[in-house]
Amino acid sequence: MHAPFTRLVRDLGDIVPFVAPEAHERRLGRTFKLRLGANESAFGVSPIAQHAMVEAMEHVDWYGDPESFELRTQLACVHGVSVQNLVVGSGIDDLLCLIARTYIDSCQSVVMSLGGYPTFRYFVRGCGGTIHDVAYLRDSNDLDGLAKMAARTGARIVYLANPDNPTGTWQTAGDLQEFARRLPESCLLVLDEAYAEFAPAEAIPPIDGANPNILRLRTFSKAYGMAGTRIGYAIAARETIVAFDRIRVHFGVNRIAQAGALGSLRDPQFALSVARAVAEGRRDYEMLARELGLSTVPSATNFVAIDMGSFDRARATVDALFAHGVFVRMANASPVNRCIRVTVDRPARRATFAAILREVVASEATLQTGWPTSKTSAVFPSSFTGMIKG
Ligand SMILES: *Cc1c(COP(=O)(O)O)cnc(C)c1O
């Protein structure tokens, strides 16, 4: 007899929150020439971070500090909070899992946007939680709809990415603060700020380490270019951090990542220069789209969502780009699944992408005039090429 799994695991379908580019490459039997689908940075890491990581290799035989104390001390300085308001994890994704395990009992409600970043949804399901979706409104998270849904369902958590993935849109600090005040007293707002470094100042509310019902998430994966090292952190109330310490994976953050993160913090100019280069790249993509008669969604991130007008056309475009060796992704639910999401790359590779997209759009035009504007809202089968990650 096969040793039995938990009831929860038995009842879960086989779900994949994303299909990695490597999996597509194995399936297609070749490598992508452009990797524009996971919002990885094309702008490297700070030389100071790189040096720190090479140095840390010397003691790779040692475990990393399970408290990431030096890093938390620096982060406390940067954000004007206490070390006790910080927990470090192996990326935001790891912390999303920790949040779900800490706050969600079986059948409790979590509210989020339909078609948004899917990883928290994945972990909530894995804890037996119940997800209540709210559709995007004009390509933004619908704050009013999310607040009403939270009240109606007695939500334990509302998850919100700001700036948002996969749209790139952002809310102002004032609107977010008003939103947080409207949530039920017993509801935690998880504010995923993976793209904070790319956002205008108006999109980032002041950090208040004393508020027990707002948790902020940051990562070294995007502007700092360290996605492969897996390191991020949460800023939360002290009691929350104490609760995390009861169940988190204490040795999950490796010492090379800790050294790289510390090095990154010693070079604040680096992330600023990346953000400037990325802003230029977004303008290139916007101009390219306009040239092709397409529009874009305003973005405060390192990617641009190009509006293809319909789900069918977006999906066909993703497939055609794959055939040309270009990895991109798209959202997995209506109405944002009419867009393809393209990460900002360096100028030369942006030009390569532009040439390929021109060709793809031109051949689409000869295939079909007038794409159907289907409102497909079903989430794709997990095998579909475009599931969002990163
Ligand atoms: C990229 C991304 C993450 C993942 O961050 P890691 O620190 O690499 O786990 C989380 N949330 C959003 C919205 C992202 O776009």
PDB file of all heavy atoms in Angstrom, residues 91-93 117 159 161 165 192 194-195 219 221-222 230 390, ligand 1:
ATOM      1  N   GLY A  91      13.340  34.705  -0.744  1.00  0.00           N
ATOM      2  CA  GLY A  91      12.472  35.349  -1.723  1.00  0.00           C
ATOM      3  C   GLY A  91      11.098  35.632  -1.139  1.00  0.00           C
ATOM      4  O   GLY A  91      10.708  35.075  -0.108  1.00  0.00           O
ATOM      5  N   ILE A  92      10.378  36.515  -1.815  1.00  0.00           N
ATOM      6  CA  ILE A  92       9.008  36.819  -1.388  1.00  0.00           C
ATOM      7  C   ILE A  92       8.173  35.544  -1.413  1.00  0.00           C
ATOM      8  O   ILE A  92       7.339  35.319  -0.537  1.00  0.00           O
ATOM      9  CB  ILE A  92       8.391  37.919  -2.285  1.00  0.00           C
ATOM     10  CG1 ILE A  92       9.027  39.278  -1.978  1.00  0.00           C
ATOM     11  CG2 ILE A  92       6.870  37.984  -2.098  1.00  0.00           C
ATOM     12  CD1 ILE A  92       8.513  40.427  -2.834  1.00  0.00           C
ATOM     13  N   ASP A  93       8.401  34.687  -2.398  1.00  0.00           N
ATOM     14  CA  ASP A  93       7.597  33.469  -2.512  1.00  0.00           C
ATOM     15  C   ASP A  93       7.652  32.639  -1.223  1.00  0.00           C
ATOM     16  O   ASP A  93       6.641  32.137  -0.744  1.00  0.00           O
ATOM     17  CB  ASP A  93       8.062  32.618  -3.697  1.00  0.00           C
ATOM     18  CG  ASP A  93       7.647  33.217  -5.037  1.00  0.00           C
ATOM     19  OD1 ASP A  93       7.015  34.300  -5.040  1.00  0.00           O
ATOM     20  OD2 ASP A  93       7.944  32.606  -6.076  1.00  0.00           O
ATOM     21  N   TYR A 117      -0.777  38.040  -9.536  1.00  0.00           N
ATOM     22  CA  TYR A 117       0.375  37.162  -9.254  1.00  0.00           C
ATOM     23  C   TYR A 117      -0.106  35.917  -8.501  1.00  0.00           C
ATOM     24  O   TYR A 117      -0.738  36.031  -7.455  1.00  0.00           O
ATOM     25  CB  TYR A 117       1.393  37.951  -8.423  1.00  0.00           C
ATOM     26  CG  TYR A 117       2.671  37.196  -8.160  1.00  0.00           C
ATOM     27  CD1 TYR A 117       3.584  36.967  -9.184  1.00  0.00           C
ATOM     28  CD2 TYR A 117       2.963  36.705  -6.901  1.00  0.00           C
ATOM     29  CE1 TYR A 117       4.755  36.271  -8.944  1.00  0.00           C
ATOM     30  CE2 TYR A 117       4.140  36.009  -6.651  1.00  0.00           C
ATOM     31  CZ  TYR A 117       5.028  35.798  -7.682  1.00  0.00           C
ATOM     32  OH  TYR A 117       6.181  35.112  -7.444  1.00  0.00           O
ATOM     33  N   TYR A 159      -4.537  40.129  -0.256  1.00  0.00           N
ATOM     34  CA  TYR A 159      -3.225  40.188  -0.902  1.00  0.00           C
ATOM     35  C   TYR A 159      -3.295  41.188  -2.041  1.00  0.00           C
ATOM     36  O   TYR A 159      -4.206  41.139  -2.876  1.00  0.00           O
ATOM     37  CB  TYR A 159      -2.830  38.806  -1.446  1.00  0.00           C
ATOM     38  CG  TYR A 159      -1.632  38.861  -2.363  1.00  0.00           C
ATOM     39  CD1 TYR A 159      -0.342  38.833  -1.852  1.00  0.00           C
ATOM     40  CD2 TYR A 159      -1.785  38.965  -3.744  1.00  0.00           C
ATOM     41  CE1 TYR A 159       0.762  38.901  -2.683  1.00  0.00           C
ATOM     42  CE2 TYR A 159      -0.692  39.033  -4.594  1.00  0.00           C
ATOM     43  CZ  TYR A 159       0.582  39.004  -4.061  1.00  0.00           C
ATOM     44  OH  TYR A 159       1.666  39.082  -4.886  1.00  0.00           O
ATOM     45  N   ALA A 161      -0.587  43.281  -4.822  1.00  0.00           N
ATOM     46  CA  ALA A 161       0.734  43.640  -5.333  1.00  0.00           C
ATOM     47  C   ALA A 161       0.685  45.089  -5.806  1.00  0.00           C
ATOM     48  O   ALA A 161      -0.177  45.467  -6.593  1.00  0.00           O
ATOM     49  CB  ALA A 161       1.139  42.719  -6.480  1.00  0.00           C
ATOM     50  N   ASN A 165       1.644  43.134 -10.586  1.00  0.00           N
ATOM     51  CA  ASN A 165       2.054  42.160 -11.590  1.00  0.00           C
ATOM     52  C   ASN A 165       0.799  41.309 -11.842  1.00  0.00           C
ATOM     53  O   ASN A 165       0.211  40.825 -10.871  1.00  0.00           O
ATOM     54  CB  ASN A 165       3.186  41.300 -11.012  1.00  0.00           C
ATOM     55  CG  ASN A 165       3.709  40.281 -11.989  1.00  0.00           C
ATOM     56  OD1 ASN A 165       3.298  40.231 -13.140  1.00  0.00           O
ATOM     57  ND2 ASN A 165       4.629  39.449 -11.518  1.00  0.00           N
ATOM     58  N   ASP A 192       2.502  43.355  -1.413  1.00  0.00           N
ATOM     59  CA  ASP A 192       3.659  42.793  -2.119  1.00  0.00           C
ATOM     60  C   ASP A 192       4.292  43.895  -2.965  1.00  0.00           C
ATOM     61  O   ASP A 192       3.736  44.307  -3.976  1.00  0.00           O
ATOM     62  CB  ASP A 192       3.180  41.613  -2.983  1.00  0.00           C
ATOM     63  CG  ASP A 192       4.321  40.923  -3.717  1.00  0.00           C
ATOM     64  OD1 ASP A 192       5.399  41.523  -3.867  1.00  0.00           O
ATOM     65  OD2 ASP A 192       4.113  39.771  -4.153  1.00  0.00           O
ATOM     66  N   ALA A 194       7.261  43.934  -4.622  1.00  0.00           N
ATOM     67  CA  ALA A 194       8.411  43.398  -5.356  1.00  0.00           C
ATOM     68  C   ALA A 194       9.020  44.431  -6.312  1.00  0.00           C
ATOM     69  O   ALA A 194      10.209  44.369  -6.619  1.00  0.00           O
ATOM     70  CB  ALA A 194       7.992  42.150  -6.142  1.00  0.00           C
ATOM     71  N   TYR A 195       8.192  45.379  -6.754  1.00  0.00           N
ATOM     72  CA  TYR A 195       8.661  46.371  -7.736  1.00  0.00           C
ATOM     73  C   TYR A 195       8.824  47.759  -7.132  1.00  0.00           C
ATOM     74  O   TYR A 195       8.847  48.751  -7.862  1.00  0.00           O
ATOM     75  CB  TYR A 195       7.701  46.410  -8.932  1.00  0.00           C
ATOM     76  CG  TYR A 195       7.610  45.078  -9.622  1.00  0.00           C
ATOM     77  CD1 TYR A 195       6.563  44.199  -9.360  1.00  0.00           C
ATOM     78  CD2 TYR A 195       8.612  44.662 -10.494  1.00  0.00           C
ATOM     79  CE1 TYR A 195       6.503  42.957  -9.956  1.00  0.00           C
ATOM     80  CE2 TYR A 195       8.565  43.416 -11.097  1.00  0.00           C
ATOM     81  CZ  TYR A 195       7.514  42.572 -10.829  1.00  0.00           C
ATOM     82  OH  TYR A 195       7.468  41.334 -11.408  1.00  0.00           O
ATOM     83  N   THR A 219      11.975  42.452  -2.164  1.00  0.00           N
ATOM     84  CA  THR A 219      12.849  41.394  -2.677  1.00  0.00           C
ATOM     85  C   THR A 219      14.124  41.955  -3.300  1.00  0.00           C
ATOM     86  O   THR A 219      14.145  43.105  -3.758  1.00  0.00           O
ATOM     87  CB  THR A 219      12.101  40.542  -3.726  1.00  0.00           C
ATOM     88  OG1 THR A 219      12.973  39.503  -4.177  1.00  0.00           O
ATOM     89  CG2 THR A 219      11.657  41.370  -4.923  1.00  0.00           C
ATOM     90  N   SER A 221      15.235  40.281  -5.830  1.00  0.00           N
ATOM     91  CA  SER A 221      15.168  39.587  -7.117  1.00  0.00           C
ATOM     92  C   SER A 221      15.051  40.516  -8.317  1.00  0.00           C
ATOM     93  O   SER A 221      15.442  40.152  -9.419  1.00  0.00           O
ATOM     94  CB  SER A 221      13.946  38.657  -7.159  1.00  0.00           C
ATOM     95  OG  SER A 221      14.082  37.604  -6.251  1.00  0.00           O
ATOM     96  N   LYS A 222      14.467  41.686  -8.143  1.00  0.00           N
ATOM     97  CA  LYS A 222      14.119  42.485  -9.309  1.00  0.00           C
ATOM     98  C   LYS A 222      15.155  43.595  -9.542  1.00  0.00           C
ATOM     99  O   LYS A 222      16.113  43.372 -10.262  1.00  0.00           O
ATOM    100  CB  LYS A 222      12.692  43.016  -9.160  1.00  0.00           C
ATOM    101  CG  LYS A 222      11.650  41.894  -8.905  1.00  0.00           C
ATOM    102  CD  LYS A 222      11.264  41.154 -10.167  1.00  0.00           C
ATOM    103  CE  LYS A 222      10.648  39.786  -9.953  1.00  0.00           C
ATOM    104  NZ  LYS A 222       9.362  39.734  -9.279  1.00  0.00           N
ATOM    105  N   ARG A 230      17.701  33.936  -4.346  1.00  0.00           N
ATOM    106  CA  ARG A 230      16.515  33.748  -3.514  1.00  0.00           C
ATOM    107  C   ARG A 230      16.623  34.447  -2.170  1.00  0.00           C
ATOM    108  O   ARG A 230      16.921  33.835  -1.139  1.00  0.00           O
ATOM    109  CB  ARG A 230      16.221  32.235  -3.280  1.00  0.00           C
ATOM    110  CG  ARG A 230      16.251  31.346  -4.497  1.00  0.00           C
ATOM    111  CD  ARG A 230      15.315  31.819  -5.596  1.00  0.00           C
ATOM    112  NE  ARG A 230      13.952  31.950  -5.136  1.00  0.00           N
ATOM    113  CZ  ARG A 230      13.222  33.071  -5.288  1.00  0.00           C
ATOM    114  NH1 ARG A 230      13.725  34.128  -5.892  1.00  0.00           N
ATOM    115  NH2 ARG A 230      12.004  33.121  -4.832  1.00  0.00           N
ATOM    116  N   GLY A 390       7.029  35.502 -11.624  1.00  0.00           N
ATOM    117  CA  GLY A 390       8.099  36.489 -11.641  1.00  0.00           C
ATOM    118  C   GLY A 390       7.661  37.821 -12.200  1.00  0.00           C
ATOM    119  O   GLY A 390       6.569  38.017 -12.604  1.00  0.00           O
TER     120      GLY A 390
HETATM  121  C1  LIG B   1       8.775  38.555  -8.847  1.00  0.00           C
HETATM  122  C2  LIG B   1       7.673  38.662  -7.889  1.00  0.00           C
HETATM  123  C3  LIG B   1       7.734  37.980  -6.682  1.00  0.00           C
HETATM  124  C4  LIG B   1       8.802  36.954  -6.393  1.00  0.00           C
HETATM  125  O1  LIG B   1       9.798  37.480  -5.655  1.00  0.00           O
HETATM  126  P1  LIG B   1      10.963  36.510  -5.094  1.00  0.00           P
HETATM  127  O2  LIG B   1      11.558  37.355  -4.040  1.00  0.00           O
HETATM  128  O3  LIG B   1      11.882  36.241  -6.235  1.00  0.00           O
HETATM  129  O4  LIG B   1      10.317  35.274  -4.571  1.00  0.00           O
HETATM  130  C5  LIG B   1       6.739  38.191  -5.756  1.00  0.00           C
HETATM  131  N1  LIG B   1       5.710  39.005  -6.019  1.00  0.00           N
HETATM  132  C6  LIG B   1       5.591  39.652  -7.188  1.00  0.00           C
HETATM  133  C7  LIG B   1       4.430  40.552  -7.419  1.00  0.00           C
HETATM  134  C8  LIG B   1       6.561  39.482  -8.170  1.00  0.00           C
HETATM  135  O5  LIG B   1       6.412  40.048  -9.356  1.00  0.00           O
END
